[in-house]
């Protein structure tokens, strides 16, 4: 289905987060020119001074939940802020927040996935980003976002089967993300699985109708046309 492939490319280009994973070149910066807190994992756990270690300990103590002493809420807040600053184009602060999440809980995969996306947006190497994504998916705590972003990265490397596996893992965690189903349909089409691709488009269109959040947005002409093509017109 030609429409599926066109729709997949359109959706990637339309998404700010996905766009970061499509960059061929970005703002290339030498790692040595950035402070440690703007490098992944603080310079990949480069040795810290006593003053830096003391500052880390103080930060973590302040971050503990007063009710149970955990760091979970602060970790999730740091991750959310990482994506917020990324969306604003403030890559330095975005990396700082993902580093804070890593400091608070090294077991949370989304911290590494966030670092990987920032590295790509900066124009860093795909090898470095790949290593960070590997850390992300090997972590005990995984989220929909980890699998989706890693899948997008793999898709741009033309590793369609591997990308499909990541999209499947993401949809297991959140089956209602219809936008990802459109991209999954595009991958199936690339793999020559046209019937499955059409079925996935239909599921995506049904999900879009349930959510209704495409209404009134000027960029929805393509999904409307695609959904009409597979017999599930958008309401």
């Amino acid at each position: 289905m030609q429409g599926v492939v066109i729709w997949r490319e359109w959706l990637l280009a339309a998404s700010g987060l996905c766009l970061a994973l499509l960059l061929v070149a970005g703002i290339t910066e030498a790692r040595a020119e950035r402070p440690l807190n703007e490098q992944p994992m603080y310079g990949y756990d480069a040795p810290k001074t006593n003053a830096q270690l003391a500052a880390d300990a103080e930060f973590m103590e302040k971050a503990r939940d007063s009710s149970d002493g955990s760091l979970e809420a602060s970790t999730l807040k740091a991750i959310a802020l990482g994506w917020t600053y990324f969306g604003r184009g403030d890559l330095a602060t975005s990396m700082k927040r993902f580093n804070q999440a890593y400091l608070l809980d090294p077991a949370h995969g989304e911290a590494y996935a966030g670092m990987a996306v920032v590295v790509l947006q900066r124009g860093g190497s795909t090898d470095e980003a790949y290593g960070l994504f590997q850390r992300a998916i090997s972590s005990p705590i995984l989220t929909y976002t980890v699998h989706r972003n890693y899948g997008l990265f793999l898709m741009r490397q033309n590793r369609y089967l591997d990308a499909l596996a990541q999209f499947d893992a993401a949809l297991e965690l959140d089956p209602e993300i219809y936008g990802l189903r459109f991209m999954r349909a595009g991958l199936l089409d690339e793999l020559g699985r046209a019937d499955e691709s059409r079925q996935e488009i239909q599921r995506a269109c049904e999900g879009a109708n349930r959510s209704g959040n495409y209404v009134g947005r000027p960029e929805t002409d393509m999904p409307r046309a695609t959904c009409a093509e597979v017999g599930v017109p958008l309401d």
Side-chain angles (χ1 to χ4, degrees):
M1 286 176 61
Q2 184 64 23
V4 173
V5 179
I6 294 172
W7 160 250
R8 176 174 62 86
E9 295 300 327
W10 175 89
L11 184 61
L12 284 169
S15 168
L17 179 59
C18 298
L19 181 60
L21 300 175
L22 297 178
L23 289 180
V24 175
I27 305 171
T28 304
E29 300 173 284
R31 185 184 301 167
E33 295 175 358
R34 297 192 294 268
L36 283 180
N37 64 356
E38 293 179 27
Q39 299 178 36
M41 291 179 284
Y42 300 98
Y44 294 91
D45 289 325
K48 294 183 179 181
T49 66
N50 289 334
Q52 288 171 328
L53 292 171
D56 286 350
E58 181 180 2
F59 168 72
M60 293 181 71
E61 188 57 35
K62 289 181 178 179
R64 293 190 183 280
D65 190 296
S66 58
S67 62
D68 62 7
S70 74
L71 295 169
E72 180 180 7
S74 293
T75 302
L76 296 178
K77 181 179 179 180
I79 289 171
L81 285 171
W83 292 123
T84 296
Y85 283 107
F86 179 85
R88 295 175 183 172
D90 186 346
L91 301 181
T93 305
S94 178
M95 183 65 84
K96 289 175 185 177
R97 297 298 169 258
F98 288 129
N99 269 331
Q100 286 180 340
Y102 160 73
L103 179 65
L104 292 166
D105 188 358
H108 204 299
E110 197 163 337
Y112 305 105
M115 294 176 199
V117 174
V118 173
V119 165
L120 289 168
Q121 183 78 330
R122 283 175 169 170
S125 75
T126 55
D127 287 344
E128 183 177 15
Y130 176 73
L132 289 165
F133 275 126
Q134 284 293 298
R135 286 178 180 267
I137 64 167
S138 300
S139 299
I141 303 174
L142 293 171
T143 64
Y144 160 86
T145 303
V146 171
H147 291 296
R148 179 195 63 182
N149 289 346
Y150 187 40
L152 289 170
F153 173 79
L154 293 169
M155 191 170 84
R156 299 317 300 181
Q157 308 305 309
N158 295 324
R159 293 174 55 182
Y160 295 140
L161 283 174
D162 292 333
L164 188 63
Q166 293 302 315
F167 287 173
D168 288 347
L171 288 167
E172 282 185 16
L173 294 175
D174 194 340
E176 290 300 314
I177 304 298
Y178 68 86
L180 189 57
R181 290 198 177 278
F182 278 116
M183 282 189 282
R184 184 177 185 275
L187 285 180
L188 290 167
D189 192 63
E190 291 279 7
L191 292 167
R193 295 155 63 175
D195 289 343
E196 292 176 72
S197 178
R198 185 181 182 88
Q199 291 169 3
E200 190 69 350
I201 284 281
Q202 291 171 335
R203 283 193 287 268
C205 297
E206 290 165 358
N209 276 331
R210 284 194 297 272
S211 72
N213 66 8
Y214 58 88
V215 176
R217 293 165 55 188
E219 69 271 24
T220 56
D221 287 346
M222 180 67 76
R224 287 184 185 280
T226 304
C227 290
E229 181 184 346
V230 297
V232 187
L234 297 181
D235 295 337

